[in-house]
Amino acid sequence: MSKKKGLNVEEKRARMMELFFETKDVFQLKDLEKIAPKEKGITLMSVKEILQTLVDDGMVDTDRIGTSNYFWAFPSKALHARKRKLEELESQVSLFYEKYLFI
């Protein structure tokens, strides 16, 4: 008889991103609060918190249109963000080598 272990924050974030990437749709908070518990096993009480952390980290975009807030994340944006980060890190590495190893 084992108790069902809940998801940790990183698992919830990953599942929320999966939801966005799989559907490729734009959602309101109320829609996410209905869909995420059923499809991804994220508790209703933590949907808003997890969504806010993803918005704060720039992984999910949000916009207010009229009185409604809309949320979306597309796979192509994530890919471009990773490419930019990789280019930035490669640039830093090359500058380090130029400065400290090839004097």
Side-chain angles (χ1 to χ4, degrees), residues 31-83:
D31 298 330
L32 288 169
E33 289 176 334
K34 290 177 187 174
I35 297 169
K38 291 178 186 173
E39 292 188 16
K40 296 298 177 182
I42 302 170
T43 60
L44 176 66
M45 300 301 291
S46 64
V47 169
K48 187 174 183 178
E49 176 187 340
I50 296 302
L51 185 60
Q52 188 59 50
T53 64
L54 292 171
V55 169
D56 291 344
D57 291 344
M59 296 174 69
V60 173
D61 293 315
T62 184
D63 199 6
R64 184 176 189 96
I65 301 174
T67 59
S68 302
N69 289 320
Y70 294 91
F71 301 92
W72 68 92
F74 299 119
S76 60
K77 181 183 178 201
L79 175 65
H80 291 297
R82 287 188 202 111
K83 283 183 179 180

